[in-house]
Amino acid sequence: MFNKEALQTLYGNHQETLEKMVALETELKGRFYGMDATVECMMLAALTGEPMVMIGPPGTAKSRLIRSFCNLMGLIDDDALTTSGAGGTDAIRGERYFEYLLTQFTEPSELFGYYDLARLFAAENREFIRDSTGMMQKAEVVFLDEVFNASSAILNALLTFMNERKFHDRGEVQRVPMKLLFAASNHPPLEDGLGAVYDRFLLRSRVRNVAPDAERLAELVSVAWRETHATPGAVGHDYSDLLERLDQYRGSIDDMTKAGELTVQETDPLFWKLADLVTELRRKDLSEMSNRRLVKFTGVIMANALLRAARAGRPKPTIEPADLAVILNFGLDSEDESTVRKQTEHLLQS
């Protein structure tokens, strides 16, 4: 799919970053029982910078996982892990992190800041200025809970955030420093008008309650009890520079592509596999798989191959048919376990 020499160079230049990602992945998997796939999806979102949404019922630790990820990277402190709810006075904010629970009554000012009335009605030098301190447009990592509950005004602003990394404020366009966007929802969007926003969440991970099996329930309670009452810190690793490292990784992809070093191998047999997969998904209405999503997923496929090599300690990464399974695992509009299982088996046998 991509030329092997450039893939090897990219891997070598960012091997330490990839190894840190694998260590972080292992740590989170050990702390969140039954959420291995969701953690893997989060690592792909972090590496590629693509928006991710977790879909599942309340009480499945979606918020806790995102906060723990940010806590390990030094974006929020330990107290934030035990905060109940988001939004209003319970919103968790910092210079680099913004979290909010969205409802149909949430106003844009709650996310982007209220206008400073004191300066508006001042005796002299009146100004119509928004107080954006600690607000969404200032954050590097954003987490929006119940994202599909938001009003059309907020969702329209969110589209610009996701597409262009820009904030439009009364005719002024501001670049935002947002590097990662996570969201959560109890269910996929139910209204047709939300399709555009849902499409922008390239990565989707479905979270479920643990099956009522005695052994699994015991493991869940044991792991979750430790996480709740004796939250471990990072063991043996410092992730405080990881966000900057991820920026450098994505910058390298841009630089190598501009220099003609990282190129798509159009004759790669993987494209035949990809074509068959997309045809089947469209035929069964599991995903329209737009051109935009296909192009973006090639970056996710490459990231998956690099992480897989780092997990195995392999010096030379390769993109294999199995890497295409990230589309099945994290890219579908709706669920169909039978199709996913059959297509995954087909890719693994290739």
Side-chain angles (χ1 to χ4, degrees), residues 114-131 170 172:
Y114 292 90
Y115 290 105
D116 190 334
L117 296 181
R119 298 180 70 171
L120 177 61
F121 295 106
E124 298 179 359
N125 300 322
R126 294 183 180 182
E127 295 179 288
F128 198 50
I129 294 179
R130 187 190 298 272
D131 183 3
R170 295 186 305 112
E172 294 185 7

Side-chain angles (χ1 to χ4, degrees), residues 71-235:
N71 172 252
L72 288 170
M73 292 201 300
L75 301 180
I76 56 177
D77 59 28
D78 293 346
D79 291 339
L81 295 177
T82 57
T83 299
S84 59
T89 57
D90 290 330
I92 302 171
R93 301 176 189 169
E95 292 182 356
R96 306 175 68 192
Y97 177 77
F98 181 87
E99 173 181 332
Y100 214 81
L101 172 66
L102 299 176
T103 73
Q104 58 183 321
F105 304 109
T106 303
E107 298 180 0
S109 295
E110 296 177 56
L111 302 182
F112 307 122
Y114 292 90
Y115 290 105
D116 190 334
L117 296 181
R119 298 180 70 171
L120 177 61
F121 295 106
E124 298 179 359
N125 300 322
R126 294 183 180 182
E127 295 179 288
F128 198 50
I129 294 179
R130 187 190 298 272
D131 183 3
S132 59
T133 305
M135 305 310 290
M136 181 169 148
Q137 65 269 38
K138 298 293 186 180
E140 295 178 66
V141 179
V142 173
F143 169 40
L144 299 177
D145 202 359
E146 290 305 325
V147 64
F148 301 125
N149 286 344
S151 66
S152 58
I154 290 176
L155 292 176
N156 286 336
L158 184 59
L159 281 174
T160 308
F161 257 73
M162 298 168 77
N163 290 345
E164 305 171 24
R165 298 296 201 265
K166 293 178 181 178
F167 172 53
H168 291 261
D169 187 17
R170 295 186 305 112
E172 294 185 7
V173 180
Q174 305 172 16
R175 285 206 165 271
V176 299
M178 187 180 72
K179 296 180 174 65
L180 302 177
L181 173 63
F182 297 111
S185 177
N186 291 341
H187 49 72
L190 304 177
E191 301 177 19
D192 292 338
L194 297 175
V197 176
Y198 190 39
D199 186 70
R200 295 317 192 274
F201 283 102
L202 184 71
L203 295 165
R204 298 100 177 248
S205 179
R206 288 168 170 80
V207 186
R208 298 174 177 82
N209 285 310
V210 172
D213 170 86
E215 183 176 347
R216 291 184 180 180
L217 289 177
E219 291 175 345
L220 166 68
V221 172
S222 176
V223 172
W225 184 268
R226 290 196 305 271
E227 172 65 23
T228 304
H229 296 281
T231 304
V235 180

